[in-house]
Amino acid sequence: MKSNIFKKTASVVLSAIMALSVVTAAAPTEAKAATKKSNNYIIILHTNDIHASTEQTKDADGNITNIGFAAVAAYKKSLQKKYGKSNVTLVDAGDAMQGENIATVSKGLNITKIMNTTGYDLAIPGNHEFDYGFDNFLKLAGSAKYPYLCCNLTYKGTGDTVLRPYEIVNYDGTKVAYVGIDTPETFTKSTPKYFQDANGNWLYSFAEDETGATLYKTVQSTVDAARKAGAKYVVALGHLGESGTTDRWTSDAVIENTTGIDVLIDGHSHEEYDKKVKNKDGENVVLAQTGTKLANLGRIVINKKTGKISAKLIKPQNENKTVANYVKAIKSGYETEMNEVLATSKYTLYTMDPANPSKRIIRTKETNLGDLCADAYKAQLNSDIAIVNGGGIRIQIEAGKITKGTAYTVFPFNNTPVVIKVTGKQLRDFLEFSYRKVESDENGGFAHVSGITCTVDTSVSSAAIEDEKGMFTGVKDGKYRVTDIKVNGEALDLNKTYTVAGTTYTLLLSGDGNTAFSGCEATFEGDANYNDADLLADYLKTTLKGTIPEKYSNPLGEGRITIK
């Protein structure tokens, strides 16, 4: 069952791509805005981690859960009418172009077009903006009517910025500089190979090091340059995050080690906050993040007379009909195919903790959905074992009907299936790095497995070694915490060769920084006409014959990964 959906949208993608002049390493420019009327207030509306959530949704009680792009557009227009067009700016702090079918079928282009129609003025790339390849992101940025900013994404050889480091907007005589900052985690939380040449040499840098000092220095020099260029206020657009992210690269760490930033609009960790954090000089910096999937719209207000800055998260309800109809028109082009029912399930297939539905566990422990996804690869590609990274499984599947659209939302990255040959030693190294954080942090590289059982002894500190980019480099002194590894019931043979099924991201492209399989031979590799979602759809419809069996009834899986 091979989908033609990518072929259907190819012509749309090609016709919409524009020149790439916006993403050259040019000097910052001063954005001009025609002043409709003078006002004492600067209004900054912000979003982050939209993950292709396009339409307004409500819960059973009628409360808005996701506001949708149409509400963002309507609210911006209402403020422009009240405060003047030139006094309202709409920005995004990354991870907009990936997450749901509307993005997957167009490799992000549909979201760019919707953001153009909504009226975005500035944006930064999140790690997921690069999920369809670095060149694809440049094409998307070229088709955007708003500039993408980032001060710390540079060419490795020259140090020149790939994107504009900052942009100054003139609000009727008051200049505000917007500085883009991306987490160096982007290397491992997108696809490392996208930032390398064919020989594995790094082409780009995100100002990464083992202390955070390089990032702080880069941000500080950019802020200083913006101030020197006449900015009275500096607003950082950061895809940095707090909880579950690398300590030295969090939004708090950047604020605490720099001066001159007035506001940091954050993203990456899917949290909701508007608060104040002290900078290096002990001054308050406003820090705000809206959650994910347009759960909220952020609003920053700067009083030009008093200098007071306030932040608030809101849920506007009114919708702009033009944007709402535009989104519906795009979706109508593929929804019939996505509504095909593949299977039914008596059981919910989990990514979240059944005892605490607000807590995600797909990146820390085995679940029945992780088992099912790994089994799909093993069965469909006829391999000895299969591995699926927890970060690649994006939604849980509720009991009931499972559609093709569900499969595409579980696997929204358009990843390519592959089978490779690995040694037992390489497999042990892979699992050791994969399970290095199970007792402490979420890890997108947490391996869900099929054909494997193992034990992770958390009383033994992980000896997996990673470099400043978070890439696996080895196991210190050969001290492994992953033990009792069995392949299809037999003890792992370190010298034996096994076939492993998964995605090119995980197995060939060092996804999540796991390099253990680098250089391994591929015996099968899919193409653009057959992706990971298609493979899952085939497993549900053909192999399982449309019924989820009882083996997947336990929310925490079959006990393939024992953590003690």
Side-chain angles (χ1 to χ4, degrees), residues 385-401:
I385 58 180
I387 294 173
V388 176
N389 68 313
I393 302 171
R394 304 303 287 192
I395 64 162
Q396 76 180 26
I397 302 176
E398 302 299 331
K401 294 179 180 179

Side-chain angles (χ1 to χ4, degrees), residues 24 85 91 139 221 236 239 317 392 397 466 475 493 501 538 541:
T24 59
K85 186 175 181 180
V91 303
K139 293 175 181 178
S221 63
H239 198 77
Q317 298 187 35
I397 302 176
E466 53 189 289
V475 179
D493 184 337
D538 278 353
K541 184 176 181 179

Side-chain angles (χ1 to χ4, degrees), residues 309-483:
I309 302 173
S310 62
K312 188 176 183 180
L313 302 183
I314 58 176
K315 290 184 184 289
Q317 298 187 35
N318 295 332
E319 295 188 285
N320 180 285
K321 290 183 179 180
T322 299
V323 175
N325 290 336
Y326 186 64
V327 172
K328 284 180 169 55
I330 292 175
K331 286 190 171 183
S332 67
Y334 63 84
E335 281 192 332
T336 299
E337 181 175 354
M338 290 296 163
N339 287 334
E340 178 190 359
V341 176
L342 303 172
T344 57
S345 177
K346 295 180 181 178
Y347 324 106
T348 294
L349 303 169
Y350 286 89
T351 61
M352 310 302 285
D353 187 345
N356 182 8
S358 64
K359 181 181 179 182
R360 183 168 58 188
I361 59 173
I362 194 72
R363 302 182 184 201
T364 58
K365 61 182 64 176
E366 180 182 349
T367 77
N368 54 354
L369 181 55
D371 286 357
L372 181 142
C373 290
D375 288 349
Y377 275 96
K378 185 175 184 295
Q380 300 307 114
L381 299 181
N382 195 30
S383 58
D384 296 325
I385 58 180
I387 294 173
V388 176
N389 68 313
I393 302 171
R394 304 303 287 192
I395 64 162
Q396 76 180 26
I397 302 176
E398 302 299 331
K401 294 179 180 179
I402 304 174
T403 66
K404 188 171 185 180
T406 306
Y408 267 69
T409 311
V410 171
F411 285 154
F413 297 105
N414 192 24
N415 281 323
T416 303
V418 67
V419 178
I420 65 172
K421 291 181 178 179
V422 308
T423 66
K425 182 183 183 307
Q426 288 173 316
L427 178 59
R428 183 173 66 166
D429 284 349
F430 185 97
L431 296 177
E432 185 70 22
F433 187 69
S434 173
Y435 300 138
R436 72 194 184 282
K437 295 182 178 181
V438 291
E439 73 277 33
S440 58
D441 298 314
E442 281 196 349
N443 172 24
F446 181 92
H448 294 272
V449 297
S450 180
I452 298 175
T453 58
C454 64
T455 298
V456 183
D457 186 354
T458 60
S459 69
V460 177
S461 297
S462 174
I465 305 169
E466 53 189 289
D467 63 18
E468 74 282 355
K469 292 183 175 64
M471 306 293 287
F472 175 63
T473 59
V475 179
K476 185 178 181 180
D477 300 326
K479 295 180 179 179
Y480 292 82
R481 71 193 317 203
V482 181
T483 61

Side-chain angles (χ1 to χ4, degrees), residues 44 127 184 194 396 479:
I44 304 166
N127 49 293
Y194 291 164
Q396 76 180 26
K479 295 180 179 179

Side-chain angles (χ1 to χ4, degrees), residues 477-545:
D477 300 326
K479 295 180 179 179
Y480 292 82
R481 71 193 317 203
V482 181
T483 61
D484 194 27
I485 303 171
K486 294 182 179 178
V487 177
N488 296 315
E490 297 184 359
L492 179 72
D493 184 337
L494 297 180
N495 297 311
K496 185 176 178 179
T497 298
Y498 300 92
T499 57
V500 184
T503 65
T504 54
Y505 169 80
T506 298
L507 304 188
L508 291 181
L509 301 178
S510 304
D512 298 297
N514 202 331
T515 63
F517 294 154
S518 291
C520 288
E521 176 190 354
T523 59
F524 165 83
E525 187 169 351
D527 56 33
N529 294 317
Y530 193 72
N531 65 13
D532 48 356
D534 292 323
L535 181 145
L536 178 58
D538 278 353
Y539 181 66
L540 295 170
K541 184 176 181 179
T542 306
T543 304
L544 297 185
K545 301 187 185 305

